[in-house]
Amino acid sequence: WADAMGARTSRDGGGEVAMEEVGKHVSKDDAWLVLFGEAIDVTQFIPLHPGGEESIGAYLGKDATADWQEIHRPEHLDKHWQHLKKMGKIKASGGLLSWLFGRIGSRQEQGPKAEPEATAESAPQVSADDAAAETAADEEVEPVRWSAEHEADLPPGGMFDLQELARWDGVNLPMCIGICGVIIDVSSSNNFTPNFGYGKLWAGKDTTWAMATVSLKAHDANKFDFNLEELSGDQAKALAGWYKHFTTKYRTVGTLKELRGRDFGSVERLAAELPASSMTTG
């Protein structure tokens, strides 16, 4: 396998690519982005993207490194490496595919490499409490899946507020999210797990603004200071696409008090006109 990837590397671009050139490739049929200092042709990967075509489309022609690290696991690259084509380096760095190839190759090495000895001056000073909190946050948690007993935990009339929604985080109760005023049970999705990726961002939170803006920023969850009328055409279409995806694939278990009175009829009508969802978050 490592030999096959090495052969692929030799066929891919090994020169330098300017960001201006990356910015020219922003269509679904000719799609580049930057990861870890390398220009990557992701045209073949777009239909396979776990978050759907719309979400990756927001990063075409741009550097997606920071958000990629927030939402993806290394094994996502292992699974899809054959659909990624390295076009060249943006700056001097090991690069995405070089990192991946090195990662695979390192598995075949005999024995671990010696780590450089840390000195008192170079060692970071981390308290025991901070270290424990960081470890807990990074640990994988087995998500709570919905069962009949959880029906009794739903709030009266299915009316959630943000405080109640926060309890449904996949750890204490099955994971739920909000979108366009409704609460969706996503606990059956393998892509919504506590402490990582979509689950880390949106577990027990409202995602309406984040979905509309295709944002992976934590501060865009539970954001309500926006007007639907001010969304751009692309944002309205993105929100309608996600609304259709979640409301057709998963069960609606309630409504959100903070968005009571908001009219999402325009989103519902646009969603009805859209083709079957291409999103694959679930």
Side-chain angles (χ1 to χ4, degrees), residues 180 228 231 236 239-241 243-244 263-272:
C180 296
L228 288 178
L231 295 180
L239 180 57
Y243 175 82
K244 182 167 188 172
D263 183 5
F264 289 98
S266 61
V267 177
E268 296 170 5
R269 289 189 293 272
L270 181 55

Side-chain angles (χ1 to χ4, degrees), residues 130-154:
D130 288 342
E134 183 175 345
T135 299
D138 290 339
E139 288 180 351
E140 289 193 25
V141 177
E142 184 66 26
V144 178
R145 304 297 186 185
W146 198 286
S147 65
E149 67 185 33
H150 294 116
E151 299 293 330
D153 293 313
L154 289 170

Side-chain angles (χ1 to χ4, degrees), residues 236-259:
K237 185 176 180 181
L239 180 57
W242 286 117
Y243 175 82
K244 182 167 188 172
H245 170 72
F246 284 110
T247 57
T248 56
K249 186 169 185 177
Y250 303 105
R251 188 169 69 116
T252 298
V253 296
T255 56
L256 185 64
K257 180 179 179 180
E258 282 78 1
L259 288 177

Side-chain angles (χ1 to χ4, degrees), residues 226-241:
F226 65 89
N227 294 315
L228 288 178
E229 295 76 14
E230 297 175 357
L231 295 180
S232 69
D234 286 342
Q235 289 173 338
K237 185 176 180 181
L239 180 57

Side-chain angles (χ1 to χ4, degrees), residues 4-189:
M5 286 192 290
R8 174 180 169 80
T9 306
S10 66
R11 294 195 300 270
D12 291 339
E16 299 224 341
V17 177
M19 277 301 302
E20 291 78 6
E21 178 63 26
V22 176
K24 298 176 182 177
H25 303 268
V26 293
S27 71
K28 188 166 64 173
D29 299 320
D30 179 24
W32 294 15
L33 50 74
V34 173
L35 288 173
F36 298 95
E38 285 183 355
I40 308 296
D41 184 337
V42 296
T43 307
Q44 296 181 27
F45 174 62
I46 285 180
L48 306 173
H49 184 242
E53 296 181 6
E54 286 79 2
S55 59
I56 191 173
Y59 295 95
L60 299 184
K62 304 174 183 178
D63 190 331
T65 305
D67 283 350
W68 184 91
Q69 292 180 97
E70 284 294 321
I71 206 71
H72 295 94
R73 297 182 187 273
E75 53 263 33
H76 290 167
L77 292 179
D78 294 350
K79 182 178 180 180
H80 297 294
W81 67 266
Q82 68 269 34
H83 303 292
L84 305 172
K85 184 178 181 182
K86 181 174 68 175
M87 306 308 294
K89 292 183 179 180
I90 299 297
K91 59 183 179 180
S93 71
L96 168 65
L97 296 185
S98 299
W99 168 79
L100 173 59
F101 303 151
R103 180 174 177 269
I104 299 299
S106 67
R107 296 172 181 169
Q108 302 175 357
E109 294 180 0
Q110 296 296 322
K113 292 184 178 180
E115 296 289 339
E117 184 176 352
T119 65
E121 291 78 11
S122 64
Q125 301 301 310
V126 181
S127 70
D129 289 343
D130 288 342
E134 183 175 345
T135 299
D138 290 339
E139 288 180 351
E140 289 193 25
V141 177
E142 184 66 26
V144 178
R145 304 297 186 185
W146 198 286
S147 65
E149 67 185 33
H150 294 116
E151 299 293 330
D153 293 313
L154 289 170
M159 179 61 72
F160 289 73
D161 58 18
L162 287 181
Q163 183 177 358
E164 174 63 25
L165 180 57
R167 298 175 59 226
W168 298 78
D169 58 0
V171 177
N172 300 297
L173 290 167
M175 190 179 297
C176 292
I177 64 171
I179 183 170
C180 296
V182 297
I183 306 300
I184 308 295
D185 163 32
V186 295
S187 64
S188 62
S189 171

